[in-house]
Amino acid sequence: MVTYDFQTIKVLLQKSIENGWEAELTLYMNHMEYMIIIYDDHCSFQGCGYKNGSGEYNFLSLDELYVAEQVDGIILKRDWEKIEYFDCVDFEMQGFWREDINFTK
């Protein structure tokens, strides 16, 4: 179970865009891998993997993505506590990794 909320993730994704990065945040839920990607003018959610992958589901905002039904019936607002952990090399490269924000368990 994650120990940080959607607002924390949202702020870091938005900071990525401000820094000129299209960050790819991988999240793991039910032993499956998913990805949120932030772009300059939208964001997306997708299932990852050769056999289990999906196309990108595009949204105008992270708030819209958060409440919409995603691949595999995931609704992040409802299922946030089911996230096992996050991984984001882009956050690390931007110096967002700090002791007070632990992205892996």
Side-chain angles (χ1 to χ4, degrees):
M1 183 169 79
V2 296
T3 58
Y4 29 86
D5 61 14
F6 172 71
Q7 292 305 317
T8 301
I9 296 299
K10 180 179 167 181
V11 165
L12 294 176
L13 287 169
Q14 289 172 330
K15 282 184 180 182
S16 295
I17 283 299
E18 291 169 9
N19 290 337
W21 292 68
E22 293 179 350
E24 297 180 353
L25 173 71
T26 304
L27 60 96
Y28 300 84
M29 182 184 301
N30 300 322
H31 307 290
M32 300 290 290
E33 183 178 350
Y34 301 94
M35 186 177 294
I36 295 173
I37 305 172
I38 186 84
Y39 300 97
D40 207 20
D41 61 349
H42 71 286
C43 58
S44 69
F45 186 94
Q46 65 185 13
C48 299
Y50 178 71
K51 292 184 180 182
N52 300 324
S54 69
E56 285 186 79
Y57 291 70
N58 292 296
F59 300 92
L60 294 176
S61 71
L62 290 166
D63 291 324
E64 183 182 322
L65 182 151
Y66 183 62
V67 298
E69 185 169 345
Q70 309 294 341
V71 63
D72 297 333
I74 294 169
I75 300 173
L76 290 176
K77 182 176 182 176
R78 177 193 68 206
D79 299 325
W80 193 261
E81 293 300 317
K82 296 177 184 176
I83 297 172
E84 296 154 5
Y85 65 96
F86 291 108
D87 185 23
C88 189
V89 173
D90 301 312
F91 286 176
E92 183 176 1
M93 292 173 64
Q94 293 176 78
F96 293 161
W97 294 85
R98 301 189 325 243
E99 290 180 16
D100 60 325
I101 301 176
N102 180 17
F103 287 92
T104 60
K105 294 193 94 171

